[in-house]
Amino acid sequence: MLRFILRRLIYGIITLWVLITLTFILMHNLPGDPFANSQKLGPEAKAVLMKTYGLDQPIYVQYGSYLKKIATFDFGVSFNYPTRSVNEVLKQTFPTSAELGMYAIIVAVIIGLILGIVAALNHNKGWDYVAMLTAIIGVSAPAFVIGPLLSYFIGVKLGWLPPALWKGPEYKILPTITLAFGTLATMARMMRTSMLDVVNQDYVKTAKSKGLSRFAVVVKHTIRNAMLPIITILGVAVVNITTGAFVVEQIFAVPGMGKFFVQSISTNDYTMIMGMTIFYAALLIIAIMVTDVLYGVVDPRIRLAKGGK
């Protein structure tokens, strides 16, 4: 098991390094520079800023310096906010983004599994069609479509919930539903398919032949074994929810990382873009690693097949 975890850790570090390198190259090959939109800056002032931030150095020198900073968890100073470091912005905004993401994951997993179980137990019946219609809508409609619709109809027209902002508990419902909807749909479809496969397995038929109640068969044998494939997509679910959070935060004016990330793209704020990208990438790699390890714990055949012990 230790070898299995170490292998995943090495893969994660290599993946993060590749992502840092690619992000650095892409950022420094974008048209313009972080000070191109500053109309008040003269050539001399711009040259001083370029030198201050080390942007006048050859690209390989900048890359080496950036890797040294990253090794000490220093993402540098924002070009848009010279008095604030990227670390300070992350410290201020990440708790809000993490809270929204946590709510969305909980909602997506619980409701998605319930919909999948209900659909499988009522195969080709009314509840099955309702659950799968919900799943199809969730997969087809992106967050930037669902979010404004919920905000307008439920928040503005009906007045049931606040259409935006991030204050009390009632403000968090619509952003959470919007962010969770696509992942919820994926969970429901996966759980339905997995349960229908498990129902026809020999051990389920044996349990039924022993006279166990339908509830016992479903809970102890069907659901328990159908959950294994769900674990494999938890990492993907975290990725989908995390990347979708930027859009949802903009729609509902959530004071998370999304605002700074979107602004940094439009202004070529290299340090902010790279800092947030690397930070999120590290979190996602950790989430996927944890998912792999959990799956290896639940089903030892996975790690044994890959040479782990």
Side-chain angles (χ1 to χ4, degrees):
M1 186 63 186
L2 180 59
R3 185 180 299 176
F4 179 77
I5 296 175
L6 289 176
R7 184 179 290 109
R8 287 291 175 271
L9 180 60
I10 293 172
Y11 290 160
I13 294 173
I14 294 174
T15 302
L16 185 60
W17 171 74
V18 170
L19 187 138
I20 292 172
T21 303
L22 291 176
T23 305
F24 183 89
I25 294 173
L26 289 173
M27 288 303 98
H28 285 75
N29 281 277
L30 288 175
D33 57 67
F35 312 111
N37 296 326
S38 300
Q39 303 297 331
K40 298 180 181 179
L41 286 178
E44 295 81 6
K46 184 176 178 180
V48 170
L49 287 174
M50 295 288 284
K51 184 175 182 179
T52 300
Y53 287 99
L55 298 178
D56 61 333
Q57 300 290 328
I59 190 70
Y60 65 86
V61 175
Q62 296 183 48
Y63 176 69
S65 300
Y66 191 71
L67 286 183
K68 291 179 181 178
K69 287 185 177 181
I70 292 297
T72 60
F73 303 100
D74 179 9
F75 294 116
V77 177
S78 169
F79 295 159
N80 286 343
Y81 307 93
T83 59
R84 304 178 66 184
S85 68
V86 177
N87 293 60
E88 291 174 355
V89 174
L90 290 172
K91 184 177 179 180
Q92 175 189 348
T93 58
F94 174 68
T96 301
S97 296
E99 184 181 3
L100 174 59
M102 180 186 68
Y103 293 153
I105 290 173
I106 292 173
V107 170
V109 171
I110 293 177
I111 298 182
L113 293 182
I114 291 175
L115 283 177
I117 292 170
V118 170
L121 295 179
N122 297 275
H123 186 46
N124 289 333
K125 297 180 182 178
W127 283 111
D128 185 14
Y129 299 139
V130 170
M132 287 304 98
L133 178 61
T134 303
I136 291 172
I137 295 174
V139 172
S140 304
F144 62 80
V145 173
I146 295 176
L149 289 176
L150 291 178
S151 179
Y152 178 72
F153 286 106
I154 297 180
V156 178
K157 296 291 289 185
L158 299 177
W160 291 350
L161 292 169
L165 300 181
W166 187 261
K167 296 179 179 179
E170 67 276 12
Y171 287 82
K172 302 174 182 180
I173 296 175
L174 291 183
T176 298
I177 293 175
T178 302
L179 187 55
F181 205 56
T183 303
L184 178 156
T186 302
M187 288 278 184
R189 295 178 63 189
M190 179 69 76
M191 188 63 184
R192 175 183 180 271
T193 302
S194 182
M195 280 196 64
L196 291 177
D197 289 339
V198 170
V199 165
N200 295 319
Q201 298 296 321
D202 291 337
Y203 55 82
V204 175
K205 296 177 181 178
T206 302
K208 291 179 180 179
S209 66
K210 291 180 178 180
L212 294 178
S213 65
R214 187 178 185 224
F215 178 81
V217 172
V218 170
V219 173
K220 294 182 179 180
H221 298 279
T222 309
I223 294 179
R224 181 178 179 181
N225 289 281
M227 285 292 295
L228 288 176
I230 302 300
I231 297 176
T232 63
I233 66 170
L234 284 178
V236 178
V238 173
V239 172
N240 292 337
I241 285 178
T242 303
T243 53
F246 287 155
V247 176
V248 174
E249 288 176 8
Q250 288 291 97
I251 294 172
F252 292 96
V254 177
M257 296 170 60
K259 171 186 174 182
F260 291 91
F261 188 78
V262 172
Q263 288 180 350
S264 64
I265 293 175
S266 61
T267 58
N268 283 357
D269 190 344
Y270 296 161
T271 51
M272 186 69 73
I273 295 174
M274 290 189 294
M276 288 196 167
T277 301
I278 294 167
F279 181 75
Y280 258 111
L283 293 179
L284 299 181
I285 290 171
I286 291 172
I288 294 173
M289 285 174 55
V290 171
T291 301
D292 287 344
V293 172
L294 286 177
Y295 197 64
V297 171
V298 174
D299 190 351
R301 293 173 298 177
I302 300 298
R303 64 175 187 267
L304 291 176
K306 297 181 179 181
K309 293 184 179 180

